[in-house]
Amino acid sequence: MKNELKVHEINSASSFTNRRSFLKISGITMAGTGMLLMGCNNNEDPVTPPAANNFPGIRNGVFDLGGGDFGVLSYAYALEQLESDFYTKVVNASGFNSNFSDVERQLLTDLYYHEVIHRDFFKVALTGALPNPSTQLLPDLAFNYGTLNFSSRTAVLATAKALEDTGVAAYNGAGKLLTNPDYLLLAGKIVSVEARHASAIRSIINPNSKDFAGDDVIDITSGLDQAKNPSVILPIAGGFITTEFSANFLP
């Protein structure tokens, strides 16, 4: 799950375009990967089910993400709902065209499409895998960004940086919790895309720098992206999520 960062910088509009082209290819690949998972889910390697009381679902009036592979996938689904909602607001904000260059707008739009693909991928995967998705599928979440001004370039990029960095650490931390090899492989592919998102945002904020591999996101001992447990990630993401849910079966 942990991915070594490839050390390269964005030095020009041409480099931005190359980065954008790679991101687009990665997103298309993930769309196909989602269909691959659905194709093998029912007929090949079955999901290793959690204990009977660990399935996602309502407990004491609150939806709990559950444990095991289903819990990890539900956790990822919650985070992808947040990222897709954020970028939807970014590309539709009144200041989007005026605050960002043509290439930056194209890149942010690609990120929007990627996160929507990731969100829909998890929804389809969970719907097909859960024994009773009508009660066990995490519902559509609601979000509130407080005073965040989506027409402010600085505020948008700072929030995008925080979300992308958090997403990478979340996937890296959740990898060890997965038992199904198909899910682990797919999660590894998604975190690779998310790491490129994080790098691209950091390069927009501070071009021609080494911020894309900053000490604040790279573990100085291993040289790899940081990995954090759900119990660390959810309070951070929860600052934007207004729908109440729990994660009592995740570390």
Side-chain angles (χ1 to χ4, degrees), residues 181-205:
D182 291 325
Y183 285 161
L184 182 59
L185 173 63
L186 293 169
K189 291 181 178 181
I190 293 177
V191 75
S192 176
V193 176
E194 295 290 352
R196 286 164 174 80
H197 289 183
S199 174
I201 291 295
R202 283 170 169 259
S203 294
I204 292 177
I205 294 173

Side-chain angles (χ1 to χ4, degrees), residues 70-185:
F70 290 141
V72 175
L73 295 182
S74 298
Y75 166 59
Y77 180 36
L79 297 179
E80 294 297 352
Q81 284 195 48
L82 170 58
E83 288 191 314
S84 61
D85 182 81
F86 170 74
Y87 284 110
T88 298
K89 289 180 170 60
V90 168
V91 300
N92 287 289
S94 59
F96 184 60
N97 290 332
S98 58
N99 286 334
F100 298 97
S101 69
D102 289 345
V103 174
E104 290 170 349
R105 288 198 304 273
Q106 291 170 347
L107 191 146
L108 288 167
T109 300
D110 284 344
L111 264 60
Y112 153 72
Y113 282 123
H114 289 185
E115 301 303 356
V116 169
I117 288 171
H118 293 171
R119 178 200 66 197
D120 292 349
F121 156 68
F122 281 110
K123 183 173 185 177
V124 170
L126 283 163
T127 299
L130 286 167
N132 190 358
S134 63
T135 60
Q136 296 171 334
L137 178 68
L138 179 71
D140 292 342
L141 302 176
F143 307 94
N144 188 321
Y145 299 91
T147 59
L148 175 61
N149 180 2
F150 280 91
S151 291
S152 165
R153 173 190 175 87
T154 302
V156 164
L157 290 177
T159 306
K161 175 182 173 181
L163 288 177
E164 295 296 353
D165 291 346
T166 299
V168 173
Y171 275 102
N172 285 339
K176 65 180 180 293
L177 306 176
L178 289 168
T179 59
N180 183 286
D182 291 325
Y183 285 161
L184 182 59
L185 173 63

